[in-house]
Amino acid sequence: MENIQTLMKKDRLDAIVLGMESLSHLTKTSNEAASAVIMGEEWQEVKDTLFSLIMDHDYETSDSDDVPKEEHLQLTLALTIVANALGLYCRRKEEVHAPSELTLDVEELKEIIVSLSGHMKKAESESAVNNSNVHVHTQNMYQASRCVMFLIELSEELKSFVAESTNLGLLAFSLRCEHGGICKHNLLGNVCRRIASSLGTFKC
């Protein structure tokens, strides 16, 4: 984690992307890396960088053809890393009996969900456009959906927030995706099916 944090603090985009790619692999299996991403603590700068990329992304700037490919990758990698970390948290929830070990900052994660909704809507609107960024938008849609899926499976409060915040449109998005109305992406369809199922059975 120390080497990853050092790379992510560099000024060069290629170094930052290298650190994020390493972290995306590490968060598939490492509980320490997952905690660093979600909780921060001694790796707070890593968490802040990832959350800022998700919450403060400027599409007007990043969609320009003049933007380096590394900059396009940053959002996709940030979404992937957070989704991987949340996935490990879900597995730990099934294994750990002490809820304190899985304490989440629910209010902060609500803000993340609002941003995720924005990324999903943007990706959906761009997915049918034949341009060089279509693959990037599809990946962002998939990874943002993974984040939402794991968040509502981790917390009843977050599930309630998503279900009751109809302006986010996440249930409608998931239903469109589940029935193939957005793009033909089997993994995305499976994720949206889980989201729709979870929200569809929620009782206010």
Side-chain angles (χ1 to χ4, degrees), residues 3 14 51 54 61 97 119 123 150 167 170 173 176 184:
N3 290 337
D14 60 337
F51 278 40
I54 292 172
T61 300
H97 297 294
H119 293 308
F150 290 133
N167 60 306
L170 290 173
F173 171 93
R176 288 195 301 277
K184 296 187 182 300

Side-chain angles (χ1 to χ4, degrees), residues 127 138 141 177 179-189:
S127 62
T138 302
M141 186 159 43
C177 181
H179 297 298
I182 296 177
C183 67
K184 296 187 182 300
H185 190 295
N186 290 335
L187 294 175
L188 175 60

Side-chain angles (χ1 to χ4, degrees), residues 24-25 27-28 79-88 143 146:
S24 72
H25 292 297
T27 47
K28 292 178 182 178
L79 292 168
T80 302
I81 290 164
V82 172
N84 288 347
L86 290 169
L88 279 186
Q143 298 300 345
R146 286 181 68 218

Side-chain angles (χ1 to χ4, degrees), residues 182-202:
I182 296 177
C183 67
K184 296 187 182 300
H185 190 295
N186 290 335
L187 294 175
L188 175 60
N190 291 338
V191 168
C192 286
R193 193 170 296 113
R194 278 174 64 174
I195 294 173
S197 175
S198 182
L199 295 179
T201 57
F202 179 77

Side-chain angles (χ1 to χ4, degrees), residues 25-65:
H25 292 297
L26 197 58
T27 47
K28 292 178 182 178
T29 56
S30 168
N31 286 331
E32 179 190 0
S35 293
V37 169
I38 304 303
M39 303 303 295
E41 298 173 348
E42 65 177 305
W43 310 112
Q44 189 66 39
E45 287 180 278
V46 171
K47 175 190 172 181
D48 289 346
T49 298
L50 295 169
F51 278 40
S52 177
L53 282 167
I54 292 172
M55 298 173 73
D56 302 325
H57 186 77
D58 183 354
Y59 279 105
E60 186 172 336
T61 300
S62 68
D63 279 354
S64 168
D65 292 334

Side-chain angles (χ1 to χ4, degrees), residues 94-165:
E94 297 173 358
E95 299 168 358
V96 178
H97 297 294
S100 60
E101 294 194 35
L102 294 172
T103 301
L104 300 171
D105 185 340
V106 172
E107 294 307 312
E108 179 180 51
L109 293 173
K110 287 178 181 178
E111 294 179 24
I112 283 285
I113 288 172
V114 173
S115 296
L116 292 169
S117 171
H119 293 308
M120 291 157 77
K121 290 173 182 175
K122 173 65 175 179
E124 180 181 7
S125 69
E126 295 289 337
S127 62
V129 178
N130 186 23
N131 62 38
S132 59
N133 295 330
V134 169
H135 176 69
V136 173
H137 287 300
T138 302
Q139 282 300 311
N140 290 350
M141 186 159 43
Y142 171 56
Q143 298 300 345
S145 298
R146 286 181 68 218
C147 290
V148 171
M149 176 184 73
F150 290 133
L151 284 167
I152 64 177
E153 291 179 356
L154 273 171
S155 165
E156 285 297 315
E157 185 174 346
L158 291 175
K159 183 191 293 187
S160 172
F161 172 73
V162 171
E164 294 172 358
S165 301

